[in-house]
Structure formats: structure tokens, C-alpha cells
Amino acid sequence: MYEGSPAEMIIRYIRKKEIDLVVMSAHHRSRMNEFLLGSVSARVAERAGCSVMLLKN
């Protein structure tokens, strides 16, 4: 049904629905792991175009 990376799908939904605030859980990762593996919450926070609240899990 849905195709693409999770971050891209979330970002598309945010823009389509004109959402003002997104609240997401963020897993604790080291900077190196995040750099190498990427993070859905980090990508969404960078590209959402609205406020994103990340809650530490």
C-alpha cells in the first residue's frame, strides 16, 4: 500500500494534511550510529516544515 522510506512517508503526510505539530518518540543513539544509520525522527525533524517534538524513549 505504501512505498518509500518511513521518514519520507511521514513527511508527505504532514505536508498533505498541513499539520502544525508532530510528536515522535526518539530512541537514544550515539551520534556515530545516527550518522551511519540515519534516524526516522531526525529526518522528520529536519524536513517536516513544522514543529516537531521528540520524546526520549
Side-chain angles (χ1 to χ4, degrees), residues 38-56:
S39 165
V40 172
S41 58
R43 288 182 187 159
V44 171
E46 290 172 359
R47 302 187 53 215
C50 68
S51 296
V52 177
M53 180 184 295
L54 300 177
L55 304 174
K56 275 178 108 174

Side-chain angles (χ1 to χ4, degrees), residues 10-48:
I10 293 168
I11 291 165
R12 282 188 218 149
Y13 185 84
I14 291 167
R15 292 179 180 164
K16 180 179 178 182
K17 298 294 183 176
E18 298 179 357
I19 293 172
D20 295 324
L21 173 65
V22 176
V23 179
M24 298 181 74
S25 175
H27 299 283
H28 176 70
R29 290 191 178 165
S30 71
R31 292 274 186 204
M32 183 57 91
N33 282 344
E34 189 170 314
F35 175 74
L36 294 174
L37 302 174
S39 165
V40 172
S41 58
R43 288 182 187 159
V44 171
E46 290 172 359
R47 302 187 53 215

